[in-house]
Amino acid sequence: MEFKNILVEKQDGLGYVTINRPKKLNALNKDTIEELHEAFKMLEEMLDVKVIILTGSEEKAFVAGADISEFAHFSVDEGKELARKGQEILFNYIENLSTPVIAAVNGFALGGGLELAMACHFRIASENAKMGLPEVSLGVIPGYGGTQRLPQLIGKGKAMEMIMTASMITAQEAKEVGLVNYVVSLEELVPLAEKIAGKIMRNSSVAISAAIRAVNANFEDGINGFETEVIAFGDCFGTEDFTEGTNAFLEKRKPKFQ
């Protein structure tokens, strides 16, 4: 598939998705959201892609927010549909992928951009990165999961402060509150993501997929995360990866997962 707003590559078991609207600071519009959905769906279906790295083009921005010009004149019902569809086809979709997604946050990650990063399984950031949810300064609230995922990641109090003040935080502050795992120079950002991805790829992709489901279950209303873990744990015993992993351990060799 040919994309206009993103770049998609595949190399050595890694999928790379780059949001490529530098003149708009990689802002999310309707077409970009739909292209991102298609890209992640395509990479998810490729059995040789074990980890996906998501980043923004150039140095200024990961994603500097949503394209406000697209929805400035929306009605109440149109606003609800915008949030509902965006969450369904992209933000929730990424969070529930069985393939791990690392957000390499280069530059500004604001509004929908921070929400996109938070939908990924974890985040690393460049030193120039700045993050925030400025929606209340526009008379609206975060609509792509920001009011839900930010408190989960950094705690209710700090999340309330960030949302209500519409303030940005630096990459280092984001690391201190647990929003990102590492902060490095811009030049080191993607190489670090690749290094972490390499460690992930040595492990069972079947087990990693099960772990993602179990962790996510803890944050779903009406779902018993512990029971999800028990079932997923048991299911692992019926996989070829479990047989290979345990045999390799007992035989004192490295496993060769398929």
Side-chain angles (χ1 to χ4, degrees), residues 78-226:
E78 287 173 322
K80 290 177 182 178
E81 180 60 20
L82 176 72
R84 184 174 288 111
K85 184 176 180 181
Q87 288 188 25
E88 178 183 333
I89 71 169
L90 184 59
F91 298 85
N92 294 350
Y93 187 79
I94 290 175
E95 182 175 61
N96 292 298
L97 280 185
S98 61
T99 305
V101 183
I102 303 172
V105 180
N106 57 309
F108 290 107
L110 304 176
L114 179 54
E115 290 173 302
L116 181 60
M118 290 191 295
C120 298
H121 296 119
F122 60 91
R123 292 142 295 284
I124 63 176
S126 59
E127 293 167 337
N128 68 317
K130 291 186 177 180
M131 301 168 213
L133 296 175
E135 284 87 347
V136 297
S137 68
L138 301 174
V140 70
I141 69 169
Y144 289 142
T147 64
Q148 306 305 298
R149 292 190 179 96
L150 189 61
Q152 291 171 5
L153 290 166
I154 70 172
K156 181 180 177 181
K158 187 63 179 177
M160 284 287 199
E161 178 189 344
M162 285 183 63
I163 291 169
M164 289 191 287
T165 63
S167 299
M168 290 187 294
I169 61 173
T170 66
Q172 190 57 43
E173 289 171 325
K175 181 176 181 293
E176 290 170 0
V177 298
L179 187 53
V180 303
N181 292 14
Y182 301 96
V183 176
V184 294
S185 69
L186 191 60
E187 294 74 22
E188 295 174 295
L189 184 62
V190 172
L192 175 60
E194 292 170 338
K195 181 180 178 180
I196 297 171
K199 293 180 179 180
I200 294 171
M201 291 166 64
R202 291 199 292 266
N203 301 312
S204 164
S205 58
V206 175
I208 287 170
S209 174
I212 290 171
R213 291 196 305 273
V215 171
N216 285 346
N218 183 54
F219 298 100
E220 294 182 35
D221 288 339
I223 301 296
N224 186 325
F226 288 99

